[in-house]
Amino acid sequence: MFAIGILGVLSRRNALIFFLSIELLLNSSNLLFVGFANHWGNQTGLVWVFFVLVVAASEAAVGLAIVINLFRTKQVVDIDQYNELKG
């Protein structure tokens, strides 16, 4: 699942697919944390899942706001077209 997310980040230029691939990466790490916590009987992995979920939720909110704002100005969701973010 992590490899599919990496492939989506590296190969796609659509901003929505890019953010969905990042969410896939974060969810696969959550699955890994839960699996190791279950295997080793340690609850620390489950605590990290909550931190990753908070990061994923904030990334989705901020990323979607950026995509909506840039779509209103440029009328395109291609990442290569967004050179206004450069300083």
Side-chain angles (χ1 to χ4, degrees):
M1 202 159 76
F2 191 82
I4 294 170
I6 290 286
L7 184 67
V9 167
L10 295 177
S11 67
R12 300 293 180 172
R13 296 291 95 197
N14 189 340
L16 295 174
I17 301 298
F18 181 78
F19 285 120
L20 285 174
S21 297
I22 291 175
E23 289 292 326
L24 189 63
L25 290 170
L26 292 172
N27 285 332
S28 66
S29 66
N30 278 342
L31 186 63
L32 184 72
F33 282 139
V34 169
F36 277 125
N38 188 22
H39 178 71
W40 295 105
N42 190 354
Q43 301 301 318
T44 308
L46 300 178
V47 173
W48 279 103
V49 168
F50 289 115
F51 289 119
V52 173
L53 285 175
V54 168
V55 169
S58 63
E59 178 263 332
V62 171
L64 189 59
I66 289 172
V67 167
I68 288 172
N69 191 13
L70 291 174
F71 182 75
R72 287 181 180 171
T73 59
K74 291 257 191 188
Q75 299 296 320
V76 70
V77 290
D78 189 19
I79 294 175
D80 294 330
Q81 301 292 324
Y82 296 145
N83 54 6
E84 289 182 5
L85 294 177
K86 294 180 182 174

